[in-house]
Amino acid sequence: MRDIANRFPENPLLSPKDLLASNSQFQVICLLNPGVFIYENKIWLIVRVAENISQKEGSIFFPVVDESGEIEILEILLDDPHLIANDARVINYKGNDYLTTLSHLRLLCSDDGIRFSEPEGYPILSGIGYQEKFGVEDCRVSKIDNTYYLTYTAVSNNGVGVGLRTTINWKDFEQKGMIFPPHNKDCAIFEERINGKYYALHRPSSKEIGGNYIWIAESPDGLHWGNHQCILKTRENHWDSARVGAGAAPIKTERGWLEIYHGANAENFYCLGAFLMELDNPSKVISRTVEPIMVPTETYETNGFFGGVVFTNGHIIEGDRLTIYYGAADEFVCGAHFSIREILSLLE
């Protein structure tokens, strides 16, 4: 499989050791999958920080947020016959799924796009309410007019859906609630209206009929979504045979809306590809890359909390140069440059 990414030589840019835990009980396990935006002439990341507490032999501990917003620590003995713990990310206990970590979102900024630090005076974005009991994950940022739209994965024992918060200054946030109900994630809002309507890519999932496909929806106000259409499916015997999902907001080009997406096979090997949508009718996909444009090859991509993963939901654009910030091995934050023209040349 080909790979056209020009990785930063400084990768990984951020590792778990680079941030303090949110409280003294916790330890940072992973930094991953940042949303990206420009604000006050700086490059900002809104990074997913996954935490848990120190484990002890014979038990597994995992944190959840109760309905009052307080963190509760659950403990299960490893020899409990009701426990299924064969995935580093998720366990099942008495028929219910739980995450092994609790994620929140943290703001970091940089002058050069390489060295990031945590500025003072900006809040941590944690789960709020029963729909975010297991945390908030993988935020995508879209700017429309002067408002930033934050779409993120909201996780609870009721399922996985898409939450929305908005801000104009990154210090005060309006919580808009769940805009796509379970099971749904990977929501990226287009950064301009098309024929007066908002558009968003999203990824409903089905364990029965259907699969993990990319859909598009439209909205009159950015809150209420309808006219859902499936636009991109998995491909049998390809690198994206098991699931596909949108990356960040689509990129407007002369040829159409360019979307960088992730795909995975049955072995959970995650790569990046691209597809193109019509400018005036983005529900129509014009073309798609046959081979991926980025494949896990570096040690920090193949080895980590969950190895064999490159996953992006944030980028910045400077002319032809597309700078993608991505999660590697579900543990590190990295960067890579691409040529938009080169990506477009690979579409078929």
Side-chain angles (χ1 to χ4, degrees), residues 296-308:
T297 55
E298 301 298 317
T299 301
Y300 51 79
E301 298 164 351
T302 58
N303 295 284
F305 183 76
F306 197 81

Side-chain angles (χ1 to χ4, degrees), residues 31-340:
L31 301 181
L32 63 163
N33 306 349
V36 185
F37 59 97
I38 304 293
Y39 180 64
E40 295 184 340
N41 299 315
K42 294 180 183 291
I43 297 171
W44 291 69
L45 305 180
I46 181 163
V47 178
R48 174 182 168 190
V49 181
E51 300 177 313
N52 69 12
I53 65 171
S54 298
Q55 304 296 309
K56 72 178 184 182
E57 188 175 349
S59 296
I60 185 169
F61 294 88
F62 53 94
V64 298
V65 180
D66 65 23
E67 293 186 16
S68 67
E70 296 297 319
I71 294 173
E72 178 184 2
I73 305 298
L74 303 182
E75 177 184 4
I76 300 172
L77 297 176
L78 289 175
D79 61 1
D80 192 310
H82 301 291
L83 174 66
I84 301 173
N86 51 17
D87 189 315
R89 302 164 298 177
V90 183
I91 65 168
N92 184 281
Y93 183 63
K94 294 185 177 179
N96 295 312
D97 290 326
Y98 298 92
L99 300 184
T100 58
T101 60
L102 181 67
S103 291
H104 65 267
L105 305 173
R106 197 91 65 92
L107 287 162
L108 306 172
C109 66
S110 171
D111 291 314
D112 60 9
I114 296 170
R115 293 176 291 271
F116 286 87
S117 60
E118 194 169 5
E120 294 183 358
Y122 290 86
I124 289 176
L125 276 66
S126 300
I128 299 174
Y130 74 97
Q131 291 177 334
E132 301 175 1
K133 183 176 180 179
F134 292 173
V136 290
E137 305 175 353
D138 299 352
C139 181
R140 292 155 173 83
V141 179
S142 298
K143 186 181 182 184
I144 304 175
D145 301 326
N146 292 318
T147 300
Y148 295 91
Y149 290 75
L150 286 65
T151 54
Y152 56 89
T153 304
V155 191
S156 75
N157 54 342
N158 297 309
V160 177
V162 176
L164 174 66
R165 301 184 197 186
T166 61
T167 185
I168 59 173
N169 60 14
W170 291 98
K171 293 186 176 181
D172 305 293
F173 296 83
E174 290 188 24
Q175 181 146 350
K176 302 296 186 179
M178 187 170 283
I179 57 172
F180 293 106
H183 190 285
N184 206 312
K185 61 195 317 187
D186 300 334
C187 176
I189 297 177
F190 288 61
E191 292 194 294
E192 67 176 66
R193 300 173 189 86
I194 303 169
N195 300 320
K197 297 176 181 177
Y198 294 81
Y199 280 83
L201 302 174
H202 63 106
R203 210 281 300 281
S205 302
S206 170
K207 295 181 180 179
E208 306 298 336
I209 297 175
N212 299 301
Y213 308 146
I214 296 175
W215 289 59
I216 195 167
E218 60 186 51
S219 169
D221 56 8
L223 296 176
H224 305 89
W225 297 88
N227 196 20
H228 301 271
Q229 299 179 65
C230 181
I231 63 170
L232 202 84
K233 293 187 175 183
T234 52
R235 296 177 289 192
E236 190 174 358
N237 299 321
H238 278 64
W239 59 275
D240 52 4
S241 59
R243 66 188 63 83
V244 292
I251 303 159
K252 191 175 186 180
T253 74
E254 291 183 355
R255 290 177 50 186
W257 293 100
L258 177 65
E259 177 64 15
I260 309 302
Y261 75 99
H262 65 265
N265 60 20
E267 288 72 44
N268 291 314
F269 190 72
Y270 279 76
C271 303
L272 301 182
F275 66 93
L276 196 68
M277 298 163 277
E278 280 193 359
L279 285 175
D280 291 331
N281 179 19
S283 63
K284 183 176 180 180
V285 173
I286 303 168
S287 53
R288 180 179 184 178
T289 53
V290 175
E291 295 295 324
I293 63 172
M294 188 176 191
V295 177
T297 55
E298 301 298 317
T299 301
Y300 51 79
E301 298 164 351
T302 58
N303 295 284
F305 183 76
F306 197 81
V309 174
V310 291
F311 186 104
T312 186
N313 43 275
H315 60 237
I316 57 173
I317 303 162
E318 300 165 286
D320 179 59
R321 188 168 79 168
L322 171 66
T323 301
I324 282 179
Y325 291 90
Y326 65 97
D330 272 7
E331 185 169 340
F332 311 106
V333 173
C334 301
H337 297 304
F338 294 80
S339 161
I340 293 175

